[in-house]
Amino acid sequence: MKNLLLILLTFSILISCKSNQEKKEQQEPNKQKPSSTQIISELDSNEDGKLSKSEVKGPIADDFTNIDSNNDGFLTLEELNKAEKNQEHRPPQQTNTYLSNEIDASVMTIPVNTNYFISENIIDGIQKQIVELNGIETLCYVIKTNSQATEHKMGPWCPRHIEDGMEKAGIWFKDDKVYDVSGHFIAKLDEFYSDDKWKLYREDGTIKVTDTEEGCLAAAKPNVEEEYHNHCVECLPEYFKDQVTTFVIPVTPKYIKTAQSFGRGGIGVAFNGVKYDPPAPTHAILAAHTIAPLDDHGGHVNPHGGYHYHAVTGSTKEIPQTDIHSPIIGYAIDGFAIYGLLDKNGNKPTDLDECGGHSDDKRGYHYHAGEPGGNQIIKCLHGLPGYTEVKE
């Protein structure tokens, strides 16, 4: 009898534990999600108030690039709050079913031509792979590069003295106009921005430049370190020459009726393997009274993407067309071609959509690069987007 009671008691405890566990599992989905403040508090191992990629895991790590809206390699409380808000208010049309239903097969599309790429700039050749893009299995090209230009010299960016001419520096932009960053331009930034706090030069006329990798890392981010305020920010390609940028691009693009926005990842690739980036975050750059010039080719360098373009100036490899149409200069991340802005007669297209694209009978749907001073190569995507990854 004693043994029977012991068996019954043990069985009862097991049933109770199982019941409690099932109840806990049933309640788990309804458990309140931790706040952004709690996430940083729990994961911020070095207590610097932000999260690096090495400090996160799971869904946050998987979506790190999208959450990191300023592309500085860290997640701040503001960025986590914004990501949470976007998730809560994401409209139903962003589901995979929506994207599938939004594909318009009636729009003419042209497959990516990999022969246009400079093969020497591609790591291990261009591969084909089935990739799930927004839940849609898609045949893609996987292209790996070091994002280093070869058909033109990268730089210069910052002049060293206020007497230096435009040949010793790059370009900057404001209100859709391009300006040469000569020494004279640097000396007059207080007038240019109507702000007397601008002074990037010393009493002897030499210009304060981030001329070391340490200075680059401290200044080429939104929260510029105090000692690098009022500097001309210059990062050199050799600092990040071993970075590998991977582009995943649909072999044949799929036209989406509704324009798709892009985050801080690359928006496309030139034929030399250099990344096209979204608009430069000028508000963050200027807030610290710094300036980060592009070179004459429309590119500069940052720690989390190496050399990349924010403008198209005609310096890279182009494929001329047999008619008067402008040349093709690269591909957007959705697989649609990007062409130059002006045709052979110097005319701009007049019927571009909200993304900077249109269709014709020869090239199907395609984009045209924006004005160099506009800080936007293309404005959005009309195709099922691939993605980019950068590994240091």
Side-chain angles (χ1 to χ4, degrees), residues 180-191:
D180 288 303
V181 184
S182 63
H184 178 75
F185 178 83
I186 292 288
K188 297 293 184 179
L189 278 172
D190 55 342
E191 297 178 12

Side-chain angles (χ1 to χ4, degrees), residues 138-271:
T138 307
L139 181 62
C140 294
Y141 285 121
V142 179
I143 303 170
K144 295 184 178 183
T145 82
N146 292 122
S147 201
Q148 302 266 313
T150 54
E151 70 270 57
H152 66 75
K153 180 182 177 181
M154 295 174 283
W157 290 279
C158 296
R160 267 32 185 193
H161 194 279
I162 58 174
E163 298 297 330
D164 286 345
M166 63 181 70
E167 72 281 356
K168 294 187 178 181
I171 58 176
W172 191 238
F173 44 86
K174 178 187 175 189
D175 300 331
D176 296 329
K177 295 181 180 180
V178 174
Y179 298 87
D180 288 303
V181 184
S182 63
H184 178 75
F185 178 83
I186 292 288
K188 297 293 184 179
L189 278 172
D190 55 342
E191 297 178 12
F192 187 74
Y193 284 113
S194 301
D195 181 354
D196 60 10
K197 292 182 180 178
W198 282 93
K199 190 177 180 183
L200 272 64
Y201 61 96
R202 304 175 183 89
E203 294 302 320
D204 62 358
T206 58
I207 294 171
K208 292 178 281 186
V209 179
T210 57
D211 53 3
T212 65
E213 184 173 353
E214 179 185 17
C216 157
L217 294 172
K221 57 184 180 179
N223 53 330
V224 179
E225 293 184 15
E226 184 69 30
E227 66 178 298
Y228 289 103
H229 284 212
N230 256 304
H231 272 65
C232 188
V233 180
E234 178 176 283
C235 295
L236 300 181
E238 51 261 37
Y239 296 161
F240 314 106
K241 61 183 176 62
D242 295 326
Q243 283 184 347
V244 175
T245 301
T246 300
F247 303 88
V248 177
I249 301 176
V251 170
T252 302
K254 295 179 173 65
Y255 182 86
I256 303 292
K257 299 174 187 176
T258 304
Q260 308 294 302
S261 61
F262 34 70
R264 293 303 308 168
I267 62 173
V269 57
F271 295 136

Side-chain angles (χ1 to χ4, degrees), residues 93-143:
Q93 68 264 28
Q94 295 300 317
T95 63
N96 299 336
T97 302
Y98 166 75
L99 283 179
S100 297
N101 292 339
E102 279 287 292
I103 294 175
D104 188 347
S106 68
V107 175
M108 178 181 172
T109 61
I110 304 296
V112 171
N113 189 335
T114 58
N115 293 325
Y116 293 161
F117 287 90
I118 300 174
S119 59
E120 293 81 5
N121 294 11
I122 308 299
I123 300 172
D124 298 329
I126 297 176
Q127 309 295 324
K128 277 186 179 179
Q129 185 177 332
I130 297 291
V131 180
E132 190 175 283
L133 301 179
N134 288 281
I136 301 171
E137 288 194 344
T138 307
L139 181 62
C140 294
Y141 285 121
V142 179
I143 303 170

Side-chain angles (χ1 to χ4, degrees), residues 257-300:
K257 299 174 187 176
T258 304
Q260 308 294 302
S261 61
F262 34 70
R264 293 303 308 168
I267 62 173
V269 57
F271 295 136
N272 58 11
V274 173
K275 184 160 56 85
Y276 290 134
D277 256 22
T282 54
H283 63 286
I285 296 169
L286 300 176
H289 295 93
T290 60
I291 188 170
L294 308 179
D295 60 20
D296 288 340
H297 318 290
H300 65 182

